[in-house]
Every structure is written in C-alpha cells, then in structure tokens.
Amino acid sequence: MAKFSLEIVTPDRRFFKGEVDSLIVSSLVGKMQFLANHTPYVAALLPDVIKITQNGFNKYAVIAGGFIEFIDNKAIIMADAAEWPEEIDRERAEEELDRARKKLQAKDENIDYLKAKLKLMKATARLKASDIMNKK
Amino acid sequence: MAGGLIDLKRRIKSVQNTQKITKAMGLVATSKFKKVRARAEKNEPYINKFNEVIKTLALSQDAESSIYFNKNKVDTDLYIIITSDSGLCGSYNANVIKRALEDMEGKKVKLLTVGEKARSFFVRRGYDTIAEYVEVGDYPVYWDAVDIMKHAIDSYKNGEVRSVKLIYTKFYSPVKQEVEVLKLLPLEKPKDKVNREFEFEPRASRVLDYIFPKYLNNMLYYAILTSIASEYAMRMNAMDSATKNAQELLNKLQTMYNRLRQSSITQEITEIVSGAEALKE
C-alpha cells in the first residue's frame, strides 16, 4: 500500500513521526480519511480519537483540537495537545467529563459554553481512546 | 592604627555579605534557567513546524486574500518589545532596547511592551504605547501570549498599523543569546515560489482565521519563553562574575588587613621591648 509521511507535533513535544498507510481524523464537518497522495488539504480538527494505520497495524491517539495540512504526500497535524491511550488517566478524564457536563447544564452568564463544550469533547475522546485500549 | 583595622574588617564583612547575595541569586537564576530552557526547547519543534506550514499555506490564493496579508496604508509600525522586570541580568535589557531604538529610528511607531524595563524606558521617553505588560513572570502560559497578541492583532486589523514586529532575545546556548527582530505581520508570500491551491474544510476564510492568529500567538509565546531563558542565562553569568569579583576584592582586602595587623603587632612589640630596655637602664 502506498504510504505517506505523517508528523504530529504539539506545543510541548514531537508526538509522532513516521510513514503511514492511512489516517482518520475528525474535522468540523465529520470524520475523514487520508490516504497517500491526497489532494492538498487544510482542515481544522475537533478533539477526538484519531486512527493511524501503519504497516497494517492500527494505532490510536487522542488529539485536543488543532489543524491538519496535507501537501506533497506529507501530512502535518498541529495539535493543541496529544496523548497515547496508555498515557490517559481515566479517573481524571471521568472527573473532567462530569465537570464539563455540569457546566453545560448550569445556566450562568459567566460560563463560556464553547469552552465547556470543547472540554466535554476532549474528555469524551480520552475515555473513548482508553476504552479502545482496554478492549484490545 | 586600630581604627584602620576596624574599618577594613567592616569592609570585608560587607563584601562578604554582597558575595553571599550574588551567589544566592546566581543559584536561583540557575534553577529557573534550567526549567524555562527545557520548556523553550520542547516548544521549538512545534514552532519550526508551524513556520513551515505557514510558508506553504502562504502560497495559496485564499491565504493571500486574507486580512493577515493586507498591506495597510498607514505609516505607523507596531513593535512588541520583550524585556525583563528586574535588572541585574547583565546587558540583557540594554541589548534589547538598543536594538529596538536602532530599528525604530526615523519611523512612526507604536509600542507594546512586555516587562518593566521596557515600560519604564519607553514611557519615560514619551513613546506611544498601546499596552504595557509587566510581571508576566518566570512561568508564562500560552494564554498570556494570546492576551498580549490580541492588542497587536486588533490594531493591525483596524488598519492602525502597517506592520507588527517582535523584538526578543533568542536563546542559543548558555553563552550565546542574540536579540532578534521578527516581522510578524503582514504575512508574506515566499518569493519565487509557484502558487499552490489547497482545499479547505470548512471554508478557507474560517480555517485561516483560526490558523493565522494561532500562529502569531504561538510565535509570541515562544519568543517570551526563549527571552526568559536568555534573561536567566545572562543573569547567571552576571551573578557568576559578580561573585568572582567579590572574591578578588576579598582576597585583596584580606591581605591588606593581615599586613596592617602584622605591622601593628610588630610596632607594639617594638614599643614594649624599647620600654623594657629603658627601664633596665
């Protein structure tokens, strides 16, 4: 299978670099898959689990928003933060999910609903990733 | 004679105290330096990648028509100047301010200062500042940069300035730090390159309005981190040489003290001996 190079960087580390077969991410309009020689593309990403297929094996990671650029068979994800499933602290993620839910339900002008919603998505994504890992 | 000795002793004591302080400040600077340097270095790959991404993005028609590529028709330039809050860090602040003055010469400028040193220098000289930030601290977070950058982006978008430049001190190594001037806005298309078209998801304008400010914020964040690393590296060196100088001074004073003490003892003995001799007769 034709491959393309993928690089994921976050403000505090180089998260991933390698030749991959396929990549699935969530953009604002829905899930999308990148394969080798995709047309030049830029998309904003939502906090979600991404799926990387490398040499026939699937790898999962959580990214907390950012964007992707694909050009000349190279994909770069500039993520705000990224984690491998094994790095996720399940308890903390559950707490965060809880807090975000409460915030969204409360009616208070001082609450930044957009921020709370993003937090909710992040926590959901982290739990999802940790579920995937546990199933394996 | 004895008066001289007491004075010398007092001076030695005072130099010793100063040396203790410079030593302690040196140690504090070293530990802070290590932390902030690690952060700056971790941030570097992200910044380099972001630069690369922006360069390719700039080749697209959509990007070029974005507001961040606008050449505003005014004659004012905005400078973001990063200095420290406190002194005793060698020539760190002086270098930044000197470079800023060189670059701004003959231009109509507005300033956005970060750090007490830049604020007091430029405000006292009557420069027009749009915002002054002090006490960003040793552990800045990304949102500090967002906050500061917002002022710059706003005045650029409102067409009040034609460019935004950033003056900061880039950290290369503990012995090499250099003041750099970085042009942030307007973004420019790399020369001699053919246009590349991208598909954007969602609309181009929305994606670019998300990416470009993010890029500017991150550049500023990195500039602040690397500046603080430079500041502490220079403070370490400054305190190190201050401690060394104090030691040299102490050695000299101690020799002087010993000599003086020796000679006063010799004199006393001579006096006693000659007194005894006189009694014998």
Side-chain angles (χ1 to χ4, degrees):
Chain A
M1 202 171 168
K3 289 177 192 281
F4 63 96
S5 86
L6 169 67
E7 198 169 347
I8 304 175
V9 284
T10 74
D12 50 15
R13 63 173 157 165
R14 178 176 281 129
F15 184 72
F16 178 87
K17 191 175 181 177
E19 298 285 315
V20 303
D21 306 315
S22 139
L23 166 73
I24 297 179
V25 296
S26 290
S27 80
L28 287 177
V29 285
K31 276 208 189 292
M32 57 177 308
Q33 178 176 33
F34 288 91
L35 294 170
N37 303 313
H38 196 285
T39 177
Y41 202 86
V42 178
L45 300 178
L46 289 172
D48 202 357
V49 178
I50 62 169
K51 184 175 164 187
I52 304 165
T53 311
Q54 194 174 26
N55 305 325
F57 288 101
N58 291 336
K59 262 186 175 165
Y60 297 88
V62 180
I63 61 158
F67 68 94
I68 182 168
E69 183 197 65
F70 194 105
I71 190 168
D72 298 338
N73 215 26
K74 267 192 285 189
I76 300 171
I77 296 182
M78 307 292 300
D80 295 343
E83 278 173 306
W84 296 113
E86 52 271 24
E87 294 165 348
I88 290 169
D89 180 345
R90 235 196 121 84
E91 245 169 66
R92 237 191 74 199
E94 271 164 9
E95 274 169 33
E96 264 163 30
L97 184 70
D98 223 37
R99 220 175 305 143
R101 267 207 191 117
K102 274 185 194 141
K103 251 194 180 164
L104 280 173
Q105 277 159 7
K107 292 236 171 336
D108 186 344
E109 282 177 13
N110 297 324
I111 292 179
D112 187 342
Y113 282 96
L114 201 67
K115 228 180 187 171
K117 205 165 171 192
L118 277 174
K119 279 240 168 87
L120 185 88
M121 293 176 83
K122 267 181 220 168
T124 318
R126 297 173 81 214
L127 288 174
K128 208 160 102 190
S130 141
D131 281 344
I132 291 172
M133 181 184 65
N134 291 338
K135 244 186 250 161
K136 268 194 223 164
Chain B
M1 217 52 199
L5 270 180
I6 290 168
D7 276 351
L8 260 182
K9 190 126 212 187
R10 221 175 261 154
R11 272 200 71 193
I12 289 174
K13 196 90 201 154
S14 118
V15 175
Q16 271 172 344
N17 282 339
T18 312
Q19 193 190 27
K20 265 184 210 156
I21 294 171
T22 56
K23 218 179 209 167
M25 286 177 78
L27 289 176
V28 172
T30 310
S31 97
K32 283 187 176 166
F33 166 71
K34 278 185 189 148
K35 277 182 203 157
V36 72
R37 177 193 188 178
R39 280 180 67 191
E41 275 172 0
K42 274 186 190 162
N43 193 231
E44 226 156 76
Y46 184 74
I47 293 300
N48 293 340
K49 258 289 109 67
F50 219 143
N51 269 321
E52 210 179 282
V53 167
I54 292 293
K55 266 189 202 126
T56 43
L57 266 185
L59 296 175
S60 87
Q61 206 71 47
D62 292 300
E64 243 184 312
S65 55
S66 117
I67 188 162
Y68 296 95
F69 284 75
N70 257 1
K71 291 186 174 55
N72 290 332
K73 287 194 174 48
V74 285
D75 55 357
T76 314
D77 296 294
L78 177 70
Y79 281 85
I80 304 177
I81 300 170
I82 302 175
T83 61
S84 70
D85 284 321
S86 53
L88 294 179
C89 43
S91 54
Y92 172 73
N93 290 311
N95 288 349
V96 173
I97 289 173
K98 200 177 116 207
R99 184 63 195 272
L101 289 176
E102 271 170 24
D103 212 75
M104 298 187 307
E105 203 175 332
K107 288 183 195 161
K108 244 172 115 181
V109 296
K110 280 188 178 183
L111 302 181
L112 206 170
T113 64
V114 180
E116 173 58 32
K117 292 286 159 182
R119 192 190 73 88
S120 61
F121 182 91
F122 289 108
V123 170
R124 200 182 306 143
R125 283 164 184 74
Y127 279 87
D128 183 9
T129 61
I130 58 168
E132 299 139 22
Y133 280 86
V134 292
E135 283 173 22
V136 171
D138 306 324
Y139 307 105
V141 292
Y142 175 68
W143 297 107
D144 293 332
V146 174
D147 210 28
I148 297 169
M149 200 63 216
K150 195 175 177 308
H151 293 278
I153 293 178
D154 283 350
S155 46
Y156 175 78
K157 274 189 172 169
N158 294 339
E160 292 158 20
V161 294
R162 68 175 170 188
S163 78
V164 177
K165 281 185 182 172
L166 176 62
I167 300 183
Y168 68 106
T169 314
K170 188 164 164 68
F171 174 85
Y172 289 97
S173 77
V175 287
K176 188 176 175 222
Q177 305 91 26
E178 267 171 22
V179 179
E180 289 191 0
V181 182
L182 178 73
K183 189 169 174 201
L184 288 177
L185 285 171
L187 296 173
E188 271 163 8
K189 193 184 135 187
K191 279 174 201 123
D192 315 324
K193 289 263 177 94
V194 283
N195 276 13
R196 299 293 301 260
E197 289 319 317
F198 288 87
E199 264 178 59
F200 289 91
E201 196 72 69
R203 280 200 319 279
S205 59
R206 265 188 74 192
V207 179
L208 294 172
D209 270 348
Y210 166 73
I211 293 177
F212 289 144
K214 198 183 179 73
Y215 169 69
L216 299 171
N217 291 336
N218 272 296
M219 289 310 283
L220 180 63
Y221 177 60
Y222 174 69
I224 293 176
L225 279 183
T226 192
S227 291
I228 295 177
S230 305
E231 176 195 336
Y232 279 109
M234 287 172 95
R235 177 163 286 143
M236 262 163 57
N237 292 338
M239 288 303 114
D240 208 39
S241 59
T243 309
K244 266 187 207 137
N245 287 344
Q247 193 54 50
E248 261 171 43
L249 190 59
L250 272 181
N251 291 345
K252 261 187 219 153
L253 287 173
Q254 194 64 47
T255 318
M256 260 166 83
Y257 176 81
N258 289 346
R259 245 181 231 147
L260 210 59
R261 197 178 77 102
Q262 186 69 56
S263 74
S264 81
I265 290 171
T266 313
Q267 199 183 345
E268 251 172 65
I269 291 175
T270 327
E271 277 165 15
I272 292 168
V273 169
S274 54
E277 290 286 320
L279 278 181
K280 256 190 213 163
E281 284 166 17

